[in-house]
Amino acid sequence: MFSTIFFHELKYWLKRPATYIYMAIFFLLALFMAATTAGIFDSITATTSSARIVNSPIGVSNLFNGLAILIFFLFPSIIGASINRDFKSEMHSILYSYPFTKANYLFAKFFSSILIVSLIVMTIGIGMMIGFRLPGTNSDIVMAFDIKSYFNAYWLFILPNILLFGAIVFAVVTFTRNIAAGFITVILLLFVQGFTEGLLSDPDSRYLAALLDPFGSSASNYYTRYWTAYEQNELHIPIKEVILYNRLIWLGVASLIFGLVFKFFTFSQNAMSFSFFKKVKGERSTKRNFGSITKINLPKVGYDFSFIQNLKTTWKISNVEFKYIVKSWPFLSIVLVGLIIVLVALADIANPTGVTSYPRTWRMLQGGGTFVIAINICTFLYAGMLVNRSKTRNVNGLEDVTPIPNWSLFLSKFIAIVKMQIVLLFVIMIAGILFQLYKGYYDIEIGLYIKELFGLKLINYVIWAFLALMVQTLIRNPYLGLFVLLVLSIGIPLLTLAGVEEDIFKYNEGSGFSYNDMNGYGDSLARYLTYKIYWVLAGLMMMLVAALFWVRGLPHSFIE
């Protein structure tokens, strides 16, 4: 039965367009990054020559590390979806009655999805090999093709990381039966990684940091940190004690996690669940069959389809969507972990040069910048979940026949996302105030907190919400849409390398702002707001495009 389930899963993923879309995205990203480092855009942008070989073993490893964050978001989309698909299609109750064992089922699901992810990641190496050799690249900084560099990067770092983080996501999705929980797990893992790197950044802790780094980059850096330019160009990453110990430790952790999944997994109808909110217990009602017949006067219902009533309906629907977000335990986990991460970051911001300084409010706001990635990822993820929520819950048919205009349904989701962003910005504000009080500093500028967080910075996140809703509406796959949005958010600033240097052509880019006690915001605020107003108008146009493509009912063709 193992081979039956295994090959069935492979056939399923190889027939899915999303698999080839992921391959194409990774291939193009690797091609672009490799060609850029090899100097293909030197004739467009002002660059300087380098003494380093870009496709040296350490250069290849660094390029893989640059795409690592995107690789991690494949795990919920494929590994998590592999085990969750049976629950989503409600076929698990039938499948669980089949005569196969837990080992057959779990191992086939896990290793088939691992193989698919590995195939997708292989396109990175292919894109890099081609990108380094494209016409127009600088041959002086590109060495002869060395397959050992790519092979070592795969078997030593990429594949063990896929097994480790794939096992973690597989365990979370198996027991929660929720792919969104897998994405939140990836975000939390990235937070924890940044937290541990900060704690072990001391030079005396390099050996311990090299052993405890699940990504393996610190273990590699343990040997290559003080290499000369010649050594970086010629030598392969040494496969020695620290790197091997690191890999063995985390492969052992992956085996332990999968072993726990195997031990506690049961072929049961219901998933493991818990809630931070007390649920109201239902009361049993008793039907009286022999009661007297009672005449009921039904109230007269007034129909109001005015614009004002539709606005009220929009607000009420946004409240429902907002409660769906904030009551989910993944969101609460992000808030809790984010609060801890921000507090740790504030400790470093308050002592920028190792000298104790006052925790001024503007310094606290600078420390809150570590929470930016969490707000953006939550915006991208929950935009897709809200757009597809009715379809996921199988109530889209009921929603489509309600007398509510499309703009009301669409706008309610946008408002819910903005409310979520405000809550996450409150986390930064609360963390800053708590840190100031802990340090015995009571000159808390509440007005500055409100002005910067809920005015200046909120505009930036709202602009990303415009793009997120448009992409998720067009793609209609929340996890593929999340991946595309992550690629866009990372790739847009890199357009400078391709010669696109004007911020008016790079979405949500522009002049930033800065604050100090002497000049306040100075003249930076006017430039910042000018760019943001420009991008708000562009975002509103995207909302109009998304509204035109909003699907309602059962279309018979793409044109319809």
Side-chain angles (χ1 to χ4, degrees):
M1 289 299 293
F2 171 83
S3 60
T4 302
I5 302 173
F6 181 84
F7 287 109
H8 173 76
E9 290 294 320
L10 288 183
K11 290 179 182 177
Y12 171 82
W13 286 110
L14 293 176
K15 289 181 180 179
R16 297 282 295 176
T19 303
Y20 301 99
I21 293 175
Y22 286 129
M23 288 183 176
I25 291 175
F26 274 111
F27 174 80
L28 294 175
L29 280 175
L31 185 78
F32 174 79
M33 292 180 66
T36 300
T37 57
I40 197 171
F41 296 114
D42 282 1
S43 60
I44 303 175
T45 59
T47 59
T48 57
S49 60
S50 174
R52 294 183 179 179
I53 302 299
V54 294
N55 64 334
S56 63
I58 195 170
V60 170
S61 179
N62 289 337
L63 280 177
F64 274 116
N65 291 334
L67 292 172
I69 188 173
L70 295 178
I71 295 174
F72 295 145
F73 284 95
L74 281 179
F75 302 147
S77 303
I78 295 178
I79 298 176
S82 179
I83 190 69
N84 185 70
R85 192 171 70 253
D86 297 334
F87 311 134
K88 183 179 178 181
S89 61
E90 299 183 354
M91 287 293 293
H92 61 287
S93 56
I94 298 176
L95 287 174
Y96 289 173
S97 65
Y98 274 51
F100 51 70
T101 63
K102 282 199 303 183
N104 290 333
Y105 182 73
L106 293 176
F107 279 102
K109 288 281 187 178
F110 180 70
F111 285 110
S112 61
S113 56
I114 288 291
L115 179 57
I116 294 297
V117 171
S118 301
L119 291 175
I120 294 174
V121 174
M122 282 184 66
T123 60
I124 297 177
I126 298 173
M128 288 166 58
M129 287 186 286
I130 298 175
F132 288 132
R133 298 294 176 181
L134 284 178
T137 56
N138 186 354
S139 59
D140 294 334
I141 57 175
V142 179
M143 63 183 292
F145 174 71
D146 183 7
I147 193 172
K148 185 178 178 181
S149 303
Y150 298 88
F151 181 74
N152 285 345
Y154 269 102
W155 80 267
L156 198 57
F157 297 106
I158 300 299
L159 188 56
N161 288 344
I162 291 175
L163 291 172
L164 171 62
F165 293 101
I168 296 173
V169 171
F170 187 81
V172 170
V173 176
T174 298
F175 291 121
T176 62
R177 301 184 183 180
N178 188 340
I179 297 182
F183 281 101
I184 301 302
T185 301
V186 171
I187 299 172
L188 295 179
L189 289 172
L190 294 175
F191 271 145
V192 172
Q193 170 64 13
F195 179 70
T196 54
E197 281 186 355
L199 289 179
L200 300 175
S201 59
D202 189 274
D204 296 332
S205 304
R206 285 184 57 223
Y207 184 80
L208 183 61
L211 292 179
L212 298 182
D213 179 18
F215 299 94
S217 57
S218 296
S220 173
N221 190 46
Y222 183 82
Y223 291 111
T224 62
R225 184 174 186 178
Y226 298 110
W227 276 8
T228 63
Y230 173 80
E231 290 173 323
Q232 292 181 20
N233 291 338
E234 299 295 331
L235 299 182
H236 288 275
I237 296 175
I239 306 174
K240 298 171 66 175
E241 293 86 355
V242 174
I243 294 178
L244 292 177
Y245 295 157
N246 174 278
R247 298 292 80 190
L248 289 175
I249 288 172
W250 290 107
L251 284 176
V253 172
S255 302
L256 177 62
I257 292 172
F258 194 84
L260 293 174
V261 174
F262 181 80
K263 178 177 176 58
F264 293 105
F265 176 80
T266 58
F267 291 119
S268 62
Q269 176 71 17
N270 300 318
M272 296 174 59
S273 63
F274 63 92
S275 175
F276 293 98
F277 300 91
K278 185 178 180 181
K279 295 183 178 179
V280 180
K281 293 184 178 180
E283 297 182 0
R284 183 178 180 181
S285 60
T286 304
K287 183 178 180 181
R288 298 180 60 187
N289 294 325
F290 302 100
S292 58
I293 299 175
T294 304
K295 182 179 179 181
I296 300 175
N297 294 321
L298 296 176
K300 293 184 178 180
V301 179
Y303 299 98
D304 186 1
F305 302 110
S306 64
F307 178 74
I308 300 299
Q309 182 59 38
N310 286 331
L311 286 178
K312 294 179 180 178
T313 303
T314 301
W315 182 258
K316 290 182 179 180
I317 297 175
S318 72
N319 291 335
V320 174
E321 305 282 20
F322 176 67
K323 290 178 181 178
Y324 164 74
I325 296 174
V326 298
K327 284 190 174 183
S328 61
W329 71 263
F331 179 80
L332 295 174
S333 301
I334 283 186
V335 171
L336 179 61
V337 175
L339 181 62
I340 297 172
I341 297 296
V342 171
L343 287 173
V344 173
L346 292 178
D348 295 331
I349 291 292
N351 303 308
T353 59
V355 180
T356 303
S357 60
Y358 289 116
R360 299 285 294 170
T361 298
W362 62 271
R363 286 192 180 276
M364 300 299 99
L365 290 169
Q366 286 180 351
T370 57
F371 205 47
V372 170
I373 185 173
I375 300 177
N376 280 338
I377 292 177
C378 284
T379 299
F380 300 158
L381 176 61
Y382 282 105
M385 294 179 66
L386 293 184
V387 168
N388 296 276
R389 187 185 175 199
S390 60
K391 183 179 179 181
T392 303
R393 301 290 183 178
N394 294 323
V395 295
N396 53 320
L398 295 175
E399 182 184 81
D400 292 342
V401 298
T402 54
I404 302 174
N406 285 347
W407 65 264
S408 181
L409 294 173
F410 187 72
L411 185 60
S412 64
K413 303 181 190 307
F414 173 76
I415 295 174
I417 292 173
V418 174
K419 290 179 181 178
M420 177 201 69
Q421 293 172 339
I422 292 174
V423 169
L424 293 174
L425 289 171
F426 259 114
V427 173
I428 299 175
M429 179 176 174
I430 293 172
I433 294 175
L434 289 177
F435 186 83
Q436 287 176 308
L437 294 176
Y438 171 74
K439 289 292 186 179
Y441 184 81
Y442 302 105
D443 186 13
I444 300 172
E445 300 173 82
I446 299 294
L448 182 59
Y449 275 117
I450 295 175
K451 179 180 180 179
E452 184 160 323
L453 290 177
F454 308 111
L456 301 178
K457 290 188 176 179
L458 181 60
I459 298 174
N460 181 68
Y461 299 120
V462 168
I463 293 171
W464 282 118
F466 289 139
L467 178 65
L469 281 173
M470 187 193 75
V471 171
Q472 294 286 10
T473 300
L474 295 177
I475 294 179
R476 285 288 175 168
N477 182 325
Y479 312 116
L480 179 58
L482 170 63
F483 188 80
V484 171
L485 287 165
L486 286 173
V487 172
L488 290 175
S489 63
I490 295 173
I492 287 174
L494 298 179
L495 290 175
T496 303
L497 301 175
V500 184
E501 298 179 349
E502 295 294 335
D503 289 332
I504 60 173
F505 301 116
K506 295 181 289 187
Y507 188 78
N508 207 14
E509 292 291 303
S511 175
F513 61 86
S514 59
Y515 182 91
N516 57 64
D517 291 323
M518 181 175 294
N519 298 323
Y521 290 106
D523 59 352
S524 64
L525 204 57
R527 295 194 304 270
Y528 174 80
L529 291 176
T530 301
Y531 275 104
K532 293 308 172 185
I533 292 172
Y534 170 80
W535 287 118
V536 165
L537 295 176
L540 291 174
M541 295 179 63
M542 290 183 178
M543 291 282 282
L544 293 176
V545 172
L548 292 175
F549 283 89
W550 185 263
V551 177
R552 193 165 184 176
L554 298 175
H556 298 285
S557 64
F558 176 78
I559 297 177
E560 184 180 347

